[in-house]
């Protein structure tokens, strides 16, 4: 496995990327606006996803943010421009660009982890939910936020919430203004784990290490997981067939001798 240990973009760039030891990291770098997602940032997220897709040495992705707040959603200046004529081609392009970036994250061929501190709201929560695992601080605030802004949820927000927390909690968050703390999010199944911020990076490193150590196998497992779990999920018998050929490939790669307790060839 190769590692280029590179950081792309000057420190003032709105998106920073880093590639090292089989892990690709993307940092939202717009802390003065609580890392609100601009069109430029959305385009950079798409570029990052393209690199991850095309680099077989990458086995895991971490999405994080500069400053004390993960993401406050789409940039309100873009939302204001779109509200002038929401059905116009320009408005549709703006909203589609932001949400398409999140879909790209959600379809990456490796496990993805969002590192959420402070909070995530609206499209910012969409970005966190697009990842496979959300790692949060106990006091982080996760909220839908669309109703509070007087607009309908977008970007598949209700579907993302629903698959994580179910009908009741989705309705509570989307229509009743209920927010979850990081600890509550773990209890509800929205987040994977909660830890104090100084501990987050170590916990994330524990999660990414196995995937980064064998990117080829990781990517094949992730492909099967997306096929089997969906949405929509497939039947048990279909899952058996999806896994059969890939497991045979992994066994051939391992080889007969590797199963010996005394080591290969013994």
């Amino acid at each position: 496995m190769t590692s280029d240990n590179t950081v792309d973009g000057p420190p003032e760039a709105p998106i920073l990327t880093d590639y090292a030891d089989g892990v690709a990291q993307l940092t939202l770098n717009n802390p003065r606006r609580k890392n609100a997602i601009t069109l430029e940032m959305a385009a950079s997220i798409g570029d990052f996803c393209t690199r991850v897709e095309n680099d077989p040495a990458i086995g895991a992705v971490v999405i994080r943010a500069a400053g004390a707040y993960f993401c406050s959603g789409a940039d309100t200046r873009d939302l204001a421009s779109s509200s002038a004529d929401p059905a116009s081609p320009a408005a549709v392009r703006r909203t589609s660009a932001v949400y398409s970036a999140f879909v790209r994250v959600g379809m990456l061929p490796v496990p993805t982890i969002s590192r959420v501190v402070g909070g995530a709201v609206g499209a910012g929560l969409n970005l966190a939910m697009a990842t496979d695992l959300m790692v949060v601080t106990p006091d982080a605030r996760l909220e839908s936020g669309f109703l509070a802004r007087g607009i309908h949820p977008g970007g598949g927000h209700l579907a993302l919430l629903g698959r994580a927390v179910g009908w009741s909690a989705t309705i509570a968050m989307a229509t009743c203004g209920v927010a979850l703390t990081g600890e509550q999010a773990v209890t509800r199944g929205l987040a994977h784990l909660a830890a104090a911020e100084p501990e987050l990076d170590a916990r994330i490193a524990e999660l990414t290490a196995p995937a980064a150590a064998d990117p080829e196998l990781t990517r094949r497992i992730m492909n099967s997981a997306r096929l089997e779990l969906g949405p929509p999920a497939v039947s048990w018998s279909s899952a058996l067939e999806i896994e059969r050929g890939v497991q045979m490939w992994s066994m051939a790669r391992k080889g007969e001798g590797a199963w010996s307790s005394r080591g290969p060839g013994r």
Side-chain angles (χ1 to χ4, degrees), residues 178-241:
V178 172
L180 299 180
T181 65
E183 286 185 326
Q184 290 171 332
V186 173
T187 301
R188 296 276 189 168
L190 181 59
H192 178 66
L193 65 85
E197 186 172 3
E199 303 173 18
L200 284 183
D201 289 340
R203 301 298 298 273
I204 290 171
E206 292 172 359
L207 292 169
T208 59
D214 194 345
E216 184 179 22
L217 179 57
T218 295
R219 286 172 177 248
R220 288 179 180 253
I221 293 172
M222 287 300 301
N223 183 61
S224 294
R226 299 207 189 284
L227 289 172
E228 293 179 38
L229 302 178
V234 303
S235 67
W236 188 358
S237 58
S238 295
L240 188 151
E241 296 305 322

Side-chain angles (χ1 to χ4, degrees), residues 33-198:
R33 296 185 62 81
K34 290 187 174 181
N35 293 303
I37 303 292
T38 65
L39 295 180
E40 179 186 4
M41 293 168 73
S44 295
I45 292 172
D47 293 340
F48 170 82
C49 291
T50 297
R51 173 157 179 178
V52 171
E53 291 164 351
N54 295 328
D55 188 345
I58 295 173
V61 160
V62 178
I63 308 293
R64 54 194 300 141
Y69 199 92
F70 178 72
C71 183
S72 60
D75 192 286
T76 53
R77 294 169 296 189
D78 291 330
L79 291 172
S81 297
S82 297
S83 294
D85 187 0
S88 68
V92 172
R93 282 194 300 270
R94 278 192 293 268
T95 55
S96 296
V98 173
Y99 290 130
S100 293
F102 301 165
V103 172
R104 293 286 303 280
V105 170
M107 297 302 293
L108 284 173
V110 299
T112 56
I113 301 173
S114 51
R115 181 187 187 275
V116 178
V117 300
V121 60
L125 183 56
N126 283 358
L127 175 58
M129 292 192 295
T131 63
D132 300 304
L133 304 176
M134 193 188 306
V135 175
V136 299
T137 53
D139 60 350
R141 184 176 175 86
L142 308 176
E143 53 187 318
S144 173
F146 288 98
L147 185 70
R149 287 181 171 173
I151 60 175
H152 191 281
H157 181 76
L158 299 174
L160 290 170
L161 270 178
R163 74 183 189 183
V165 300
W167 173 271
S168 180
T170 295
I171 299 306
M173 294 180 72
T175 68
C176 301
V178 172
L180 299 180
T181 65
E183 286 185 326
Q184 290 171 332
V186 173
T187 301
R188 296 276 189 168
L190 181 59
H192 178 66
L193 65 85
E197 186 172 3

Side-chain angles (χ1 to χ4, degrees), residues 254-266:
K254 185 178 178 76
E256 181 179 4
W259 292 99
S260 171
S261 60
R262 294 176 294 174
R266 296 183 182 180

